[in-house]
Amino acid sequence: MDVDLIPSADLNDVIKDNLVDQISSNNGKVPTNAIVVPAFERKVDPPCSNIESCKGYLQKDPRFLPTLFNDMKECVRDKKCIVFQSDNNWEGHHTTKTQKWLKSEWYDEPSKTDEQKTRTIRQIKCFDSLRYEPYVVLPWCPSAPSIKPQPLAPYYDERFYGYGKNKIQHISHLRYRGVPFYVLPRSFVVHHPHPESNVKQVWNDRKKNKLHGEMDRLYAKYIDELGDEYSDVKGVVPECD
C-alpha cells in the first residue's frame, strides 16, 4: 500500500472479519485469495502546489477525507472523490466495478445447490483490462507448520524500480498463479492529494529519461516468463470478452 493512501476507519476490522469468513468456509485453512480494497482519490481544484498546501486541506477540515462508507458515497456524489486515477488511467481500477460497490452490491448470489445459502463476497470473474492494478490483501503465513515454511503470496520482483509497473507485475504474477480475486465490502482506501513526485516526473519525461522504456520492455519480458512458468495452471482469471 502506498504511503499516500489513507485507510477507512474500519478497514482493519472489515478485513479481519472477511478473512475469518474465508478461512471458515475453507475447512479452517487459509485460502490463497487476493481481496481487492477499493481505492478512491480526493480531488482538489486547483491542485495543491506543494506539500504544505496539500497538508493544509486536512488540517483545516478534519472531514476532508472520507472515513466510512457513507462518507465516501457522499464524497463521490458531490464529485469531490473519484475512483483512483479514473480520470487518467481507467484500466487501473475499472475491474473493481466500484459503482456496484457504492450501491452495496458486495456479495455473490448463493448457488442453487448451496442449502446453507452461504454469503460470499463478490468474486471477480474476469479482468476488464490486463492493466488492472488494484491494492490487495494477501495471505502470507501457511496454515500448517513446516520446517521450511514458504510464504503463500509471491514477493514483488525487485527488477522493477522507480515509478511504474511494480504493482501491475505483482497482480499479473498472482493472476498467472491462478489466484482468485474478491472485492472487499464496505471499506476502502483514499488517496490524499500531493504534488507530483520527482520519480513520476522522471517516468513521464521519456525524452530525457530511459526509466519508462526500460520498465515497459522488462514488463513484456516478465509476462513471457510468467507464461512459461505457469503454462499448466488452471483457473487463471480471464480477460473479459
Side-chain angles (χ1 to χ4, degrees):
M1 195 73 72
D2 295 338
V3 70
D4 52 5
L5 290 166
I6 311 301
S8 61
D10 56 358
L11 179 62
N12 190 53
D13 290 336
V14 172
I15 288 173
K16 286 181 179 179
D17 289 345
N18 281 276
L19 288 176
V20 168
D21 288 344
Q22 291 200 353
I23 292 170
S24 297
S25 61
N26 196 46
N27 298 317
K29 297 180 180 179
V30 178
T32 308
N33 297 333
I35 303 179
V36 173
V37 181
F40 297 85
E41 64 177 287
R42 181 64 160 85
K43 304 298 287 185
V44 291
D45 187 23
C48 45
S49 58
N50 55 61
I51 291 293
E52 289 306 314
S53 64
C54 292
K55 288 165 58 177
Y57 286 109
L58 194 56
Q59 290 171 343
K60 294 174 184 176
D61 180 11
R63 289 176 52 83
F64 174 69
L65 292 179
T67 57
L68 293 170
F69 176 69
N70 285 334
D71 302 329
M72 179 55 73
K73 284 183 65 175
E74 180 180 342
C75 193
V76 172
R77 183 197 66 202
D78 294 342
K79 298 183 179 180
K80 295 178 180 178
C81 293
I82 63 171
V83 174
F84 185 57
Q85 295 185 339
S86 59
D87 54 352
N88 55 49
N89 177 28
W90 74 268
E91 296 169 291
H93 293 267
H94 191 269
T95 297
T96 304
K97 297 289 188 287
T98 306
Q99 292 306 315
K100 293 181 67 174
W101 183 90
L102 287 166
K103 295 176 183 177
S104 302
E105 297 178 15
W106 297 328
Y107 301 97
D108 285 334
E109 290 292 326
S111 66
K112 295 180 179 179
T113 58
D114 183 3
E115 296 180 357
Q116 302 297 322
K117 301 300 180 185
T118 306
R119 189 175 71 167
T120 57
I121 58 176
R122 178 165 56 86
Q123 184 173 2
I124 293 174
K125 301 298 194 297
C126 62
F127 281 14
D128 292 332
S129 166
L130 298 184
R131 289 179 54 81
Y132 186 42
E133 48 178 341
Y135 298 96
V136 294
V137 178
L138 294 166
W140 183 250
C141 298
S143 303
S146 171
I147 297 175
K148 294 183 178 180
Q150 296 295 317
L152 297 178
Y155 289 96
Y156 279 81
D157 192 309
E158 294 185 0
R159 290 177 294 175
F160 293 87
Y161 68 93
Y163 185 97
K165 291 295 192 293
N166 54 349
K167 186 151 57 72
I168 195 171
Q169 70 80 198
H170 195 239
I171 296 299
S172 294
H173 195 169
L174 295 170
R175 177 176 166 271
Y176 271 88
R177 283 179 63 156
V179 172
F181 290 75
Y182 296 83
V183 181
L184 187 73
R186 201 168 73 237
S187 297
F188 55 87
V189 292
V190 57
H191 178 268
H192 191 291
H194 60 79
E196 187 172 80
S197 64
N198 291 336
V199 70
K200 187 171 184 180
Q201 292 175 14
V202 169
W203 173 263
N204 286 333
D205 191 351
R206 296 194 186 203
K207 291 183 179 180
K208 294 182 180 179
N209 300 286
K210 59 184 181 179
L211 176 65
H212 201 141
E214 282 186 352
M215 294 301 101
D216 283 351
R217 289 188 292 274
L218 175 58
Y219 182 69
K221 176 185 176 184
Y222 181 73
I223 292 299
D224 289 339
E225 293 172 359
L226 292 178
D228 292 339
E229 183 175 358
Y230 298 108
S231 59
D232 296 330
V233 170
K234 307 297 181 184
V236 175
V237 181
E239 189 172 8
C240 302
D241 295 332

